[in-house]
Amino acid sequence: MSHAELIWSQDHLPRDVDAELMRLALRYEAAGGAGIELLGLLGSHAEGLFEKLPEQVRMHIEGATDQSLRQAMKVAQSSRSVVGDRVGWLNTAVAGALGAAGGFGGTPTALAELPVTTMILLREIQSEAARLGFDPASENVQFDCVQVFGAAGPLARDDGADMAFVGARMALTSGSMQALVGKVVPKLSVILGKKLAVQAVPVFGAVAGAAVNYAYITYYREISHVHFGLRKLAIDSGTDHNTLVADLKNRVEYIKSR
């Protein structure tokens, strides 16, 4: 898409909406930065990360992910009454420490760390929702928080798959949360499987563990900001959500082409 085509496609938007969409597009594009740096650090070790896990681990990781996410949904929400929402630095620090501990012992400790890290990631997503004025105690917002886990993850090499979740506006109905979890878990198990594989990389050990958790929490913080930022912009401006999603995609394509 040319620059002229991009400008033409946004003519119908008010200036403040246009500016906010560009800001969100830049946040989206920057989301995978820490993951790209991590892949550069790992070099050849980064290829086929999930496939490098022991077969026994790969066989059980989807079930472990499902259990971890369901536990995280309970614990992350209850923890908000103990620790406030505006503590992103604390989530980052704890995630880094957990990653280091998980990486220190290789695959076994990394697997044991999975439920806690999943909870911290979900807690960070909830915090970002709260920063943008949404109530994480609301069932609709909890639904959206889980939906954010449908993004591709920081080690996806920017294949565009994480944009798919932005356009999906799923209605919360009876049983839909369970259906969403069932849809998210297979993809999330691969995403977290890559994390486990990185933490099991020889030599890097605890350093890789801390780096990968930093990459993950940074990624989900940025992606959740875009996700809830679009929701807020649609509400505040009265603009159709699907229109904003389409315009955001145009901007991301333009930024990538520069």
Side-chain angles (χ1 to χ4, degrees):
M1 172 176 291
S2 68
H3 183 43
E5 288 174 319
L6 178 73
I7 294 175
W8 178 85
S9 70
Q10 314 310 325
D11 280 346
H12 59 287
L13 293 176
R15 185 179 297 274
D16 58 338
V17 176
D18 182 90
E20 178 62 9
L21 269 175
M22 184 56 76
R23 188 187 69 82
L24 291 174
L26 291 169
R27 288 284 292 258
Y28 171 87
E29 181 62 15
I36 293 172
E37 292 177 6
L38 179 61
L39 287 171
L41 173 67
L42 293 171
S44 61
H45 292 293
E47 296 300 328
L49 288 173
F50 187 69
E51 289 73 18
K52 288 182 178 180
L53 286 172
E55 183 178 359
Q56 185 177 6
V57 174
R58 282 188 278 120
M59 288 176 58
H60 293 93
I61 192 169
E62 185 167 321
T65 301
D66 183 274
Q67 184 178 10
S68 295
L69 180 55
R70 293 179 191 277
Q71 290 176 349
M73 290 166 62
K74 297 176 182 177
V75 177
Q77 179 59 32
S78 62
S79 71
R80 295 183 62 249
S81 62
V82 179
V83 182
D85 287 307
R86 300 182 182 278
V87 287
W89 64 269
L90 180 58
N91 287 337
T92 303
V94 173
L98 283 170
F104 184 79
T107 303
T109 53
L111 191 58
E113 171 233 327
L114 184 62
V116 184
T117 296
T118 304
M119 185 273 291
I120 291 175
L121 292 175
L122 185 56
R123 185 70 176 76
E124 184 62 29
I125 294 168
Q126 290 179 340
S127 295
E128 200 60 38
R131 291 185 192 106
L132 290 170
F134 294 92
D135 180 9
S138 164
E139 192 175 8
N140 282 292
V141 176
Q142 291 178 26
F143 188 80
D144 271 32
C145 288
V146 174
Q147 192 177 344
V148 170
F149 272 130
L155 303 182
R157 290 191 178 278
D158 195 27
D159 62 1
D162 48 354
M163 182 59 84
F165 89 95
V166 178
R169 194 64 181 112
M170 301 175 64
L172 177 60
T173 59
S174 177
S176 59
M177 178 66 88
Q178 297 304 314
L180 177 62
V181 171
K183 184 177 180 179
V184 165
V185 162
K187 186 173 185 179
L188 184 60
S189 66
V190 175
I191 293 170
L192 296 181
K194 291 179 181 180
K195 187 182 96 69
L196 292 178
V198 170
Q199 289 177 282
V201 170
V203 181
F204 287 99
V207 175
V212 72
N213 272 20
Y214 174 79
Y216 271 64
I217 199 165
T218 301
Y219 172 83
Y220 280 110
R221 179 185 300 141
E222 296 300 299
I223 289 295
S224 58
H225 182 89
V226 174
H227 184 87
F228 287 104
L230 280 173
R231 300 281 186 263
K232 179 176 172 57
L233 185 59
I235 294 169
D236 292 347
S237 67
T239 307
D240 178 69
H241 180 264
N242 291 331
T243 298
L244 294 178
V245 170
D247 288 343
L248 179 72
K249 290 180 178 178
N250 286 342
R251 284 175 165 78
V252 171
E253 289 177 8
Y254 169 65
I255 293 169
K256 290 179 183 294
S257 70
R258 287 192 301 178

